[in-house]
Amino acid sequence: MKKIILSLLSLGLLTSLTGCGSDEKTTSSNKDKVLKLALWDANQKPVIESMISNFEKENPGVKVVVEITPFSQYWTKLETAATGGQLQDIFWINAPNFTKYAKANMILPIQDLVDNKSINKDSFPEGMIKMYTYDNKLMAAPKDIDTTALWYNKEIFDSLKLQYPNDNWTWNDMVTTAKEIKNKTGNYGLALGFAGQEDYYEIISQFGGRVISPDKKTSGFSDPNTIAAVKEIKELLDEKVIPSLGEIADTRSSDLFQSQKVAMTYSGSWMVKQYMKNEIIKDKVDLAKLPLKTKDAAIIHGLGYAIYSQTKHPEEAKKLVTYLSSKDSHDTQAKSGIVIPAYIESQEIWTESYPNLNLHGYSKMLPNGIEYPASLNTGKWEDVMNEYLNKVWMGELTPEKACEIINEKMNAILKEEV
């Protein structure tokens, strides 16, 4: 997309496309100004729309239309809209895609909202502000924050008279318990998803390693701690403590957990709503912070509200983003329990949204959060990383050799970004 958009920019075509993000029929002075808001999670639509309803009451003459595209199609659709000058006025952005859109001038800076105190950046985690800052300007308003915790099935633990996971658990406590459950029941005690953030990104962090350097210029796969984490996961596979990559391909780790075929799993905070909707497990499960290995750390990520640089209604779009960034809006989001709000003071409200769950298992990970690994070409090096890590999980490469190859290829990709 970068090449296409940069080509458009070089030809000056985007100038002619200025203002195409909004419905032309709605721009006349005697009609409402319509803002289109793009997002991918239908579960969040009722909460978002309730906040928008209040915004519209306070801002007569402005209407907001929520457009939902499933995540599997969202980025393709957004890219097509960007190249055609038809991006929605406001859209959800995530860390892996942020730099690409910011560098292609698709996002309107909102640093002026910080400078005039409309958005107080101190109200949000520093990592989130840093995540969505480009060229020293805030480009997207933090919406929510997510991290990972260890979920467990209390009924399985009770049946085996095992101690529940707790905030003082170590990595060895978890592995020992997983082995004991496997030995006693024949079912897996622990499942990982091999999906990145919810598993090996977290484990690399717990072992004190890095996926990418903090300055995003070099790979973290030459770090001995990163290699040790990959070796540890391979050992768990070899000892059949966790399901194989093939087994997870057939049934996701979260599905194994929901069908009570596994006692523990790593799950992101976005799974809370899903688990609590499941009548089979909702009263049988709980969670704890991730077990301690070398470092009490976890990957944090979160979404942001970005404004299309060519929107016809920049002032109204900024008003909406400011409104969605307020404490009241984040409190509304927190009470729904659907995601952890990015607004720090609202996060405690979220931990009370499900009184039967120890949601502090998530919030206790936030102070030690590590920014989600991303750069301009995240997708390119993620493909390399997944290709060679999968060879490790399938026994085709040693962890050391795979990390060596990933390190070399990833550094070559990152070098092109400079």
Side-chain angles (χ1 to χ4, degrees):
M1 184 194 78
K2 175 191 166 191
K3 287 184 179 178
I4 297 172
I5 291 174
L6 290 179
S7 296
L8 287 169
L9 287 171
S10 66
L11 292 170
L13 294 180
L14 286 181
T15 302
S16 65
L17 295 171
T18 299
C20 291
S22 300
D23 187 344
E24 293 291 344
K25 295 178 182 178
T26 64
T27 57
S28 58
S29 59
N30 61 343
K31 291 187 176 181
D32 291 333
K33 293 179 178 178
V34 178
L35 298 174
K36 295 179 180 177
L37 169 60
L39 51 93
W40 62 72
D41 188 352
N43 287 327
Q44 296 193 42
K45 186 179 179 184
V47 180
I48 299 288
E49 287 186 331
S50 72
M51 293 188 288
I52 285 174
S53 176
N54 292 332
F55 170 81
E56 289 175 337
K57 290 175 185 173
E58 294 180 12
N59 294 273
V62 180
K63 297 295 180 186
V64 183
V65 177
V66 176
E67 296 185 354
I68 296 179
T69 303
F71 185 78
S72 60
Q73 304 163 28
Y74 183 84
W75 298 109
T76 301
K77 186 175 179 180
L78 207 67
E79 186 172 322
T80 302
T83 54
Q86 295 292 334
L87 259 179
Q88 286 84 353
D89 302 277
I90 302 164
F91 54 97
W92 280 5
I93 192 76
N94 66 4
N97 290 283
F98 167 68
T99 305
K100 183 168 62 176
Y101 279 81
K103 190 167 185 174
N105 295 323
M106 289 291 102
I107 301 177
L108 184 71
I110 54 172
Q111 182 61 35
D112 56 325
L113 299 181
V114 177
D115 295 339
N116 66 22
K117 310 297 183 188
S118 295
I119 292 179
N120 180 5
K121 67 178 184 180
D122 293 335
S123 297
F124 302 95
E126 184 179 357
M128 288 290 294
I129 295 296
K130 183 180 176 185
M131 191 180 295
Y132 290 121
T133 294
Y134 181 80
D135 198 19
N136 297 316
K137 297 173 184 173
L138 186 67
M139 305 293 284
K143 173 192 172 294
D144 57 52
I145 189 167
D146 56 63
T147 187
T148 302
L150 177 66
W151 283 76
Y152 59 95
N153 185 308
K154 293 184 291 185
E155 189 172 75
I156 295 175
F157 274 74
D158 289 341
S159 68
L160 299 174
K161 297 183 171 30
L162 294 173
Q163 182 187 34
Y164 295 158
N166 58 63
D167 291 346
N168 297 317
W169 254 32
T170 65
W171 176 268
N172 289 338
D173 290 331
M174 180 182 71
V175 172
T176 300
T177 302
K179 289 179 178 178
E180 187 172 352
I181 292 171
K182 181 75 183 296
N183 289 335
K184 289 182 175 178
T185 68
N187 291 327
Y188 290 109
L190 175 68
L192 301 178
F194 302 102
Q197 183 184 355
E198 285 181 292
D199 36 78
Y200 56 84
Y201 279 12
E202 298 294 359
I203 296 171
I204 287 172
S205 300
Q206 289 173 272
F207 275 64
R210 284 273 187 176
V211 173
I212 190 172
S213 62
D215 64 4
K216 304 179 180 181
K217 293 181 178 178
T218 57
S219 163
F221 279 84
S222 63
D223 186 326
N225 293 324
T226 302
I227 299 170
V230 176
K231 289 175 66 176
E232 177 77 9
I233 297 172
K234 182 64 171 72
E235 288 177 11
L236 294 177
L237 285 165
D238 290 344
E239 296 176 13
K240 302 188 185 305
V241 178
I242 58 176
S244 68
L245 187 62
E247 290 172 296
I248 293 300
D250 292 334
T251 310
R252 296 180 302 174
S253 56
S254 58
D255 292 333
L256 288 172
F257 184 68
Q258 290 181 87
S259 60
Q260 304 190 86
K261 293 179 179 176
V262 64
M264 296 180 284
T265 192
Y266 279 23
S267 286
S269 47
W270 58 90
M271 289 300 294
V272 172
K273 195 79 172 180
Q274 176 65 34
Y275 290 162
M276 291 299 98
K277 286 166 59 179
N278 187 318
E279 292 294 329
I280 297 173
I281 65 164
K282 69 183 182 69
D283 296 319
K284 301 176 182 177
V285 298
D286 205 346
L287 64 142
K289 64 186 284 292
L290 295 179
L292 177 66
K293 179 60 179 173
T294 304
K295 191 174 180 180
D296 201 7
I299 297 292
I300 62 167
H301 182 234
L303 307 184
Y305 290 110
I307 300 174
Y308 178 33
S309 59
Q310 305 300 322
T311 176
K312 276 194 170 182
H313 310 300
E315 294 309 314
E316 288 74 16
K318 285 183 179 180
K319 278 186 179 179
L320 177 57
V321 167
T322 299
Y323 185 84
L324 295 172
S325 301
S326 68
K327 185 175 185 302
D328 285 347
S329 292
H330 280 267
D331 283 353
T332 299
Q333 192 174 239
K335 290 171 185 172
S336 75
I338 202 150
V339 289
I340 305 174
Y343 203 100
I344 295 170
E345 290 183 9
S346 302
Q347 291 170 2
E348 187 62 26
I349 296 173
W350 177 80
T351 63
E352 297 167 357
S353 58
Y354 289 100
N356 59 319
L357 293 177
N358 172 32
L359 291 178
H360 287 99
Y362 283 116
S363 60
K364 286 181 179 177
M365 303 304 303
L366 297 178
N368 300 315
I370 295 174
E371 184 183 350
Y372 185 92
S375 68
L376 177 61
N377 295 312
T378 308
K380 282 188 178 180
W381 55 256
E382 277 187 340
D383 287 345
V384 169
M385 181 180 63
N386 290 328
E387 177 186 354
Y388 287 94
L389 286 180
N390 283 347
K391 291 180 183 293
V392 175
W393 313 145
M394 293 187 291
E396 298 173 2
L397 274 181
T398 64
E400 293 85 351
K401 187 62 181 177
C403 289
E404 179 186 334
I405 296 172
I406 294 169
N407 190 60
E408 180 183 347
K409 290 181 176 292
M410 190 171 164
N411 278 335
I413 294 169
L414 292 171
K415 191 175 181 180
E416 293 176 353
E417 298 180 2
V418 179

